[in-house]
């Protein structure tokens, strides 16, 4: 039992300034929600210009739809001129830093894979109102979404879609060799071991690229490993499960891959599959689409499977997150918020335009059948992925030190070092050293 | 003039002298004001844009990066506080920093050697008379003038592990084995080859610049001096070493200086080809500074890493410039 606390004067005594602030926020929030509900623009956004910076989508048809239909129709309807600039996703962090430094640039800016909410939230507009509204309207967000955009209890971004990296395999090769579908990582390894001598190895990037960061985490997490605890305070890499995952990766490389994987970039596995060589790849469905577009014979026999399970049956798919934010310096925040809400509401249309590439963070939008993937027998399995989706830092949040770990490719380098022959203990020592150094540095800061 | 006036004697000349002695410095001051000072002012005026350029575009960013390096600045926080040499200490603690530093030095030295050899050879070739000389002179600078992103992406394809045109040609002529065998080089995946592959692209891009600088130097050597050396029985290499090289030394030094700065600060080639991989085997300081400073958002630490280039470059620059100045006298 605890002693009763002395009664303190209420801190929420209302003075004139607080009253005005609260009333102002209430009126502004209420107006926005009313406006969003009525689907009609207030007079003040008419005649304005909205500038959006985002990546060049891996499925070009999505950009065509976004630029010539979505933005155009919404802009015409609301009297807002929209200008969309596309740049490669790897350049987004540098552009964001430049716009922040200049205090000028686009109104809406996208983050792809590298989510920088926690670095910039002091300079970003608070989007909690539209985040909450979208959650209520569309059946709630998947649990891992909030950590991507939240800082100090507020939401500073709208997670619009994430990208799955499923198992994509050649069914003809598997069938011809009496192999079971790669439903577990062990079965995938057996397949690679069997098919490599027949000219069909597999490949996962042992290099410094985004897919390497995602794929090796999927394996690590499926093996029961973890990067951070849910509080984000403690690094959990030094574990038996990580050692198991590293051991597995070494065996997978030795038995089922060639040295090419050390030079791969994000698109190399697409080409490997499309060229007819790979027996399986673990990649976004752009690999599947590339094969469809360039090699119909291989495509006929290319299938997508559930995320392979680890030794204890656990399945985790580490996905590339995408988040849209609004700068605090934007003079058109109201239009930006309304447009982002419209983007969420038209998600299904966007998913169709992306040929099933974009996956929703909102439960209501993930109901079966989902656009494109729900009607394609080979892709239907993707609808079962949302419960096993994870992001960097899993099961903890994607915090700033993890951002640095990701950008310095610490985890893929651990797997690369093991594949190149370093002992697992040496690699664990090196990897933990890097994690500790980065976290200590951020704590000191 | 004044002393000559005084020699005349009598009151009149004295008075004249007094007049002259007062008037002469006044006139000279006037002349100074009217001619020398005007010339000086004009000189400073001509220098002003260059001085302003250096101050604004070199001095100010340098001072700003010094400020960042001793602060905890990050990309999203407008407030940064002074933390002394903490960022430098943190950089020195990183294993990857030492790898990057070592790679940067290897990159600089190996690239400089190859650029010197290839640049000199190309400059001599371009000195010869042959049909289409002007066209060829224009074509050789194309690598230097192409947008770096485009040329490096082309090289990325040429180094591709599966579709490398270099490997397929080597394989067809029997120098390496078939695709999939151990003798098939993985240019960007082998730790030993990755850095060399990046250096090769840097050399390919910038050796035409070395050649053009050398060519400008060679054409400034008077033909009669070379002819005299020939008559005295000097071989080609003796002429180059004892006649041409000393005469074009200042140009060589300036070219070398530019090239050193360009090479050490070259971020694009490595970043676009390997991002510093595999496992940091091709990481150089500018790439590390970019990854930590911009991508990971840690501006202070990124600036500190980038500033490690200064102690690398400053002694070199100092030696070059001092040597150059001595030769001028």
């Amino acid at each position: 039992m605890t002693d009763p606390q002395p009664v303190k004067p209420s801190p929420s005594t209302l003075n004139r300034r607080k009253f005005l602030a609260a009333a102002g926020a209430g009126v502004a929030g209420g107006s926005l929600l009313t406006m969003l509900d009525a689907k009609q623009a207030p007079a003040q956004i008419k005649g304005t210009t909205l500038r959006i910076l985002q990546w060049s989508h891996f499925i070009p048809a999505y950009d065509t739809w976004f630029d010539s239909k979505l933005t155009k129709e919404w802009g015409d309807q609301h009297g807002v001129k929209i200008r969309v600039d596309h740049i490669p996703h790897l350049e987004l962090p540098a552009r964001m830093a430049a716009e922040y430094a200049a205090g000028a640039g686009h109104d809406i800016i996208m983050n792809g894979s590298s989510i920088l909410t926690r670095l910039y939230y002091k300079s970003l507009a608070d989007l909690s109102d539209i985040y909450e509204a979208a959650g209520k309207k569309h059946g709630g967000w998947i649990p891992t979404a909030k950590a991507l955009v939240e800082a100090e209890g507020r939401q500073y971004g709208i997670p619009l879609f994430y990208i799955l990296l499923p198992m994509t395999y050649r069914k003809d090769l598997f069938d011809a060799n009496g192999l079971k579908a790669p439903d577990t990582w062990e079965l995938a390894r057996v397949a690679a071991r069997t098919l490599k001598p027949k000219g069909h190895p597999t490949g996962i990037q042992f290099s410094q690229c985004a897919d390497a960061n995602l794929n090796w985490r999927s394996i690590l997490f499926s093996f029961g490993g973890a990067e951070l605890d849910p509080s984000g305070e403690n690094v959990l890499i030094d574990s038996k499960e990580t050692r198991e995952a590293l051991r597995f990766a070494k065996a997978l490389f030795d038995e089922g891959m060639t040295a090419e994987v050390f030079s791969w970039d994000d698109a190399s596995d697409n080409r490997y599959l499309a060229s007819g060589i790979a027996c399986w790849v673990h990649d976004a469905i752009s690999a599947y689409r590339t094969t469809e577009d360039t090699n119909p014979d291989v495509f006929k026999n290319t299938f997508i499977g559930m995320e392979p399970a680890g030794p204890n049956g656990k399945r985790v798919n580490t996905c590339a997150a995408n988040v849209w934010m609004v700068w605090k310096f934007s003079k058109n925040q109201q239009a930006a918020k309304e447009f982002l809400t419209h983007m969420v509401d038209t998600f299904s249309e966007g998913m169709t335009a992306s040929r099933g590439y974009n996956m929703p963070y909102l439960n209501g939008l993930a109901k079966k059948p989902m656009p494109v993937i729900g009607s394609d027998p080979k892709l239907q399995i993707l609808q079962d992925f949302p419960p096993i989706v994870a992001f960097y830092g899993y099961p903890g949040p994607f915090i700033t030190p993890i951002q640095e770990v990701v950008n310095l490719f610490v985890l893929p380098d651990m797997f690369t070092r093991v594949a190149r022959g370093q002992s697992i203990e040496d690699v664990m020592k090196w990897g933990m050293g890097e994690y500790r150094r980065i976290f200590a540095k951020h704590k000191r800061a | 003039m004044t002393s000559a006036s005084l020699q005349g004697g009598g009151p009149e000349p004295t008075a004249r002298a007094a007049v002259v002695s007062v008037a002469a410095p006044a006139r000279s001051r006037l002349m100074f004001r009217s001619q020398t000072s005007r010339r000086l002012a004009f000189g400073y005026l001509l220098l002003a844009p260059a001085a302003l350029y250096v101050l604004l575009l070199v001095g100010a960013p340098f001072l700003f990066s010094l400020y960042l390096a001793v602060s905890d600045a990050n990309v999203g926080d407008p407030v940064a506080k002074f933390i002394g040499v903490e960022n430098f200490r943190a950089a020195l603690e990183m294993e990857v920093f030492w790898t990057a530093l070592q790679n940067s030095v290897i990159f600089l030295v190996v690239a400089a050697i190859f650029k010197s050899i290839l640049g000199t050879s190309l400059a001599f070739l371009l000195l010869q008379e042959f049909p289409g000389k002007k066209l060829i002179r224009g074509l050789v600078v194309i690598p230097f003038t192409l947008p770096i992103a485009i040329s490096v992406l082309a090289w990325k394809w040429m180094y591709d592990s599966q579709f490398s045109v270099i490997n397929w040609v080597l394989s067809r002529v029997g120098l390496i084995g078939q695709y999939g065998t151990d003798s098939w080089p993985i240019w960007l995946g082998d730790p030993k080859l990755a850095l060399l592959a990046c250096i090769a692209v840097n050399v390919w891009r910038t050796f035409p610049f070395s050649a053009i600088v050398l060519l400008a130097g060679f054409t400034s050597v008077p033909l009669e001096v070379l002819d005299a050396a020939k008559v005295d029985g000097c071989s080609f290499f003796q002429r180059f070493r004892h006649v041409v090289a000393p005469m074009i030394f200042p140009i060589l030094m300036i070219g070398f200086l530019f090239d050193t700065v360009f090479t050490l600060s070259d971020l694009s080639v490595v970043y676009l080809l390997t991002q510093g991989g595999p496992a940091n085997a091709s990481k150089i300081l500018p790439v590390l500074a970019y990854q930590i400073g911009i991508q990971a958002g840690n501006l202070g630490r990124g600036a500190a890493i980038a500033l490690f280039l200064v102690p690398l470059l400053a002694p070199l620059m100092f030696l070059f410039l001092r040597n150059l100045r001595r030769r001028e006298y």
Side-chain angles (χ1 to χ4, degrees):
Chain A
M1 294 298 286
T2 54
D3 294 333
Q5 296 295 307
V7 177
K8 289 178 185 169
S10 165
S12 59
T13 311
L14 197 64
N15 57 25
R16 187 169 55 92
R17 188 167 290 175
K18 280 183 182 167
F19 172 78
L20 286 173
V27 169
S31 308
L32 182 65
L33 292 176
T34 311
M35 175 195 80
L36 296 177
D37 196 45
K39 293 185 180 174
Q40 192 167 357
Q44 60 265 39
I45 73 167
K46 279 185 183 162
T48 59
T49 300
L50 190 63
R51 292 156 303 169
I52 302 169
L53 179 71
Q54 61 187 35
W55 70 339
S56 299
H57 201 290
F58 282 99
I59 305 291
Y62 179 84
D63 285 346
T64 309
W65 168 80
F66 191 91
D67 297 354
S68 58
K69 189 163 188 297
L70 181 76
T71 51
K72 192 172 181 312
E73 285 179 0
W74 187 87
D76 289 347
Q77 190 185 342
H78 294 82
V80 176
K81 189 179 169 191
I82 302 186
R83 199 187 80 197
V84 188
D85 294 319
H86 297 272
I87 59 172
H89 68 294
L90 290 175
E91 287 176 23
L92 284 165
R95 188 61 179 267
M96 198 167 181
E99 294 199 358
Y100 163 77
H106 296 80
D107 300 291
I108 297 176
I109 189 159
M110 178 222 187
N111 276 187
S113 197
S114 282
I115 308 301
L116 305 169
T117 325
R118 283 166 197 258
L119 270 177
Y120 286 98
Y121 73 95
K122 288 178 187 165
S123 309
L124 296 171
D126 183 352
L127 303 181
S128 303
D129 48 356
I130 60 169
Y131 179 90
E132 292 298 335
K136 274 181 197 156
K137 187 172 179 183
H138 296 288
W141 296 92
I142 61 169
T144 41
K146 192 178 255 186
L148 294 168
V149 295
E150 191 169 77
E152 295 183 4
R154 312 294 298 168
Q155 288 80 48
Y156 292 91
I158 298 296
L160 196 74
F161 63 83
Y162 59 85
I163 301 156
L164 289 172
L165 284 84
M167 171 61 78
T168 308
Y169 67 102
R170 287 280 302 278
K171 192 168 184 303
D172 55 335
L173 298 175
F174 274 66
D175 291 348
N177 290 277
L179 296 163
K180 287 183 186 167
D183 191 51
T184 66
W185 280 112
E186 189 52 33
L187 285 173
R189 173 186 160 187
V190 170
R193 186 172 64 202
T194 309
L195 293 170
K196 183 185 170 188
K198 297 176 180 178
H200 295 287
T202 183
I204 294 178
Q205 293 90 338
F206 278 102
S207 57
Q208 299 197 337
C209 66
D211 281 6
N213 260 323
L214 296 165
N215 283 326
W216 294 117
R217 278 183 172 80
S218 287
I219 291 180
L220 172 70
F221 302 150
S222 294
F223 269 67
E227 199 162 15
L228 288 179
D229 69 357
S231 72
E233 288 292 317
N234 301 302
V235 178
L236 303 178
I237 284 290
D238 191 358
S239 67
K240 180 169 68 69
E241 290 80 9
T242 304
R243 286 173 175 79
E244 278 305 307
L246 289 170
R247 201 165 289 120
F248 172 82
K250 168 73 174 155
L252 183 62
F253 170 74
D254 287 344
E255 297 167 3
M257 297 188 196
T258 69
E260 288 174 69
V261 290
F262 294 116
S263 71
W264 275 11
D265 60 20
D266 291 331
S268 299
D269 44 1
N270 295 21
R271 296 193 289 270
Y272 210 47
L273 182 74
S275 67
I277 289 180
C279 60
W280 60 260
V281 296
H282 190 260
D283 193 19
I285 64 163
S286 54
Y288 177 84
R289 293 297 184 203
T290 306
T291 310
E292 181 180 15
D293 296 342
T294 58
N295 197 337
D297 290 337
V298 170
F299 178 70
K300 264 191 318 202
N301 299 300
T302 300
F303 283 70
I304 288 183
M306 189 56 189
E307 179 65 18
N312 296 319
K314 188 173 183 184
R315 300 173 199 267
V316 180
N317 190 270
T318 313
C319 301
N322 293 282
V323 167
W324 272 254
M325 300 154 182
V326 178
W327 283 118
K328 206 181 255 178
F329 62 66
S330 162
K331 292 188 173 65
N332 211 0
Q333 288 182 26
Q334 199 172 355
K337 283 183 172 185
E338 201 188 339
F339 181 72
L340 286 178
T341 302
H342 181 67
M343 277 177 77
V344 174
D345 291 343
T346 53
F347 173 83
S348 299
E349 216 179 310
M351 188 170 176
T352 306
S354 74
R355 300 167 75 190
Y357 191 84
N358 299 358
M359 292 290 287
Y361 290 97
L362 285 155
N363 295 319
L365 301 171
K367 280 183 186 151
K368 294 181 183 178
M370 288 163 73
V372 185
I373 61 174
S375 55
D376 183 336
K378 282 188 186 177
L379 295 176
Q380 278 173 354
I381 190 80
L382 295 177
Q383 299 177 108
D384 297 329
F385 273 67
I388 59 163
V389 162
F391 299 103
Y392 298 127
Y394 171 87
F398 187 11
I399 53 178
T400 313
I402 287 293
Q403 183 70 45
E404 186 165 335
V405 167
V406 169
N407 280 307
L408 290 178
F409 303 99
V410 175
L411 196 81
D413 280 358
M414 288 174 71
F415 282 85
T416 305
R417 283 164 183 253
V418 168
R420 283 223 172 264
Q422 274 192 31
S423 78
I424 286 175
E425 284 314 311
D426 283 353
V427 168
M428 285 301 300
K429 196 176 158 196
W430 174 83
M432 271 312 291
E434 291 295 298
Y435 270 87
R436 281 202 194 103
R437 186 185 51 73
I438 291 168
F439 273 74
K441 204 167 66 181
H442 281 270
K443 269 186 185 159
R444 279 203 300 268
Chain B
M1 185 181 169
T2 309
S3 58
S5 308
L6 286 171
Q7 280 166 7
E12 199 182 325
T14 309
R16 246 177 42 218
V19 170
V20 170
S21 64
V22 171
R27 198 181 300 141
S28 73
R29 274 203 303 273
L30 197 68
M31 274 182 68
F32 184 78
R33 211 173 287 145
S34 60
Q35 285 185 1
T36 316
S37 64
R38 272 213 305 263
R39 284 176 65 192
L40 266 176
F42 186 59
Y44 284 126
L45 194 72
L46 290 177
L47 273 176
L52 205 65
Y53 170 84
V54 170
L55 279 175
L56 286 178
L57 297 180
V58 181
F62 179 72
L63 290 176
F64 185 59
S65 58
L66 270 178
Y67 155 74
L68 288 177
V70 292
S71 74
D72 65 348
N74 73 52
V75 288
D77 197 343
V79 183
K81 66 172 190 289
F82 177 76
I83 56 165
V85 294
E86 172 63 26
N87 286 327
F88 293 94
R89 194 177 67 81
L92 293 172
E93 280 174 5
M94 296 165 71
E95 187 190 308
V96 64
F97 169 79
W98 293 103
T99 309
L101 183 65
Q102 182 187 324
N103 286 343
S104 295
V105 174
I106 294 173
F107 198 106
L108 174 70
V109 174
V110 177
I113 291 169
F114 278 96
K115 274 185 262 190
S116 307
I117 295 169
L118 293 171
T120 313
S121 311
L122 182 64
F124 274 119
L125 280 174
L126 293 177
L127 269 180
Q128 310 305 313
E129 287 302 325
F130 56 88
K133 182 177 165 179
K134 281 185 183 168
L135 178 70
I136 300 293
R137 274 193 183 186
L139 290 177
V140 294
V141 293
I142 283 181
F144 191 65
T145 53
L146 271 178
I148 190 162
I150 293 172
S151 56
V152 175
L153 283 178
W155 275 97
K156 193 164 184 170
W157 270 105
M158 290 198 281
Y159 285 142
D160 188 87
S161 58
Q162 196 176 354
F163 302 106
S164 164
V165 68
I166 302 168
N167 284 3
W168 284 100
V169 168
L170 292 175
S171 178
R172 283 295 166 94
V173 297
L175 290 175
I176 60 170
Q178 295 286 312
Y179 168 67
T181 59
D182 287 344
S183 62
W184 183 268
I186 311 295
W187 296 103
L188 303 178
D190 185 323
K192 287 174 193 148
L193 290 178
L195 186 62
L196 288 180
C198 295
I199 292 172
V201 177
N202 176 272
V203 170
W204 170 82
R205 273 199 77 242
T206 48
F207 89 88
F209 172 75
S210 312
I212 297 296
V213 169
L214 284 167
L215 193 63
F218 291 161
T219 49
S220 69
V221 178
L223 278 177
E224 51 270 31
V225 177
L226 291 173
D227 287 342
K230 257 188 209 173
V231 170
D232 289 343
C234 288
S235 68
F236 171 80
F237 288 106
Q238 283 171 326
R239 286 202 302 278
F240 180 71
R241 191 183 158 197
H242 298 293
V243 180
V244 177
M247 290 185 82
I248 66 165
F249 189 80
I251 297 173
L252 275 179
M253 280 296 104
I254 294 291
F256 200 61
L257 199 132
F258 271 112
D259 193 61
T260 305
V261 175
F262 289 161
T263 307
L264 260 184
S265 56
D266 189 354
L267 161 81
S268 316
V269 170
V270 173
Y271 185 74
L272 290 170
L273 283 178
T274 63
Q275 290 209 37
N280 298 326
S282 62
K283 188 92 76 195
I284 54 172
L285 286 178
V287 172
L288 183 65
Y290 178 75
Q291 285 174 336
I292 290 183
I294 302 296
Q295 292 190 316
N298 209 324
L299 276 180
R301 203 151 302 121
I305 291 168
L307 280 175
F308 274 102
L309 289 171
V310 176
L312 264 183
L313 281 170
L316 274 177
M317 299 301 111
F318 177 74
L319 286 176
F320 285 163
L321 294 173
R322 199 177 68 161
N323 205 316
L324 212 59
R325 177 169 278 223
R326 278 187 178 170
R327 280 172 183 266
E328 279 173 10
Y329 295 113

